[in-house]
Amino acid sequence: MGFLGFLLLGLIAGAIAKLILPGKQGGGWIVTLILGVVGAILGGWLGSVIFGVGVDSFFDLSSWLLAIGGSIIVLLIYGLIVGRGSRVND
């Protein structure tokens, strides 16, 4: 898969992950792109380690599932980090 295809996969996977997770996640489309690309990398790595399948083709269902799953994990971690830092102590 080419670089632009991977960016598009990450952007869409990040957007889908934001739709799946409940609550309000901050960040615009650039943060979504970054989280989605990092999630696609993480999902591809986990898929290759656990299942022997990576993020190989843009039109492959396993690539999409791994990218979305990785994006959900990254978005959860991002929410924990940003959520704790934005609280104001009374």
Side-chain angles (χ1 to χ4, degrees):
M1 176 178 350
F3 181 71
L4 291 177
F6 197 75
L7 287 179
L8 183 62
L9 174 70
L11 178 64
I12 295 171
I16 291 172
K18 279 190 170 185
L19 289 174
I20 291 173
L21 289 177
K24 183 179 184 293
Q25 293 88 16
W29 67 273
I30 293 176
V31 173
T32 303
L33 173 67
I34 293 169
L35 293 176
V37 169
V38 171
I41 291 170
L42 177 67
W45 178 76
L46 287 174
S48 65
V49 169
I50 297 172
F51 304 114
V53 178
V55 179
D56 297 327
S57 175
F58 186 81
F59 295 105
D60 191 16
L61 181 62
S62 64
S63 295
W64 283 95
L65 293 176
L66 290 172
I68 293 168
S71 296
I72 289 173
I73 293 170
V74 170
L75 193 58
L76 286 171
I77 294 170
Y78 175 77
L80 289 174
I81 293 170
V82 172
R84 290 183 189 198
S86 64
R87 291 186 189 157
V88 176
N89 294 332
D90 292 327

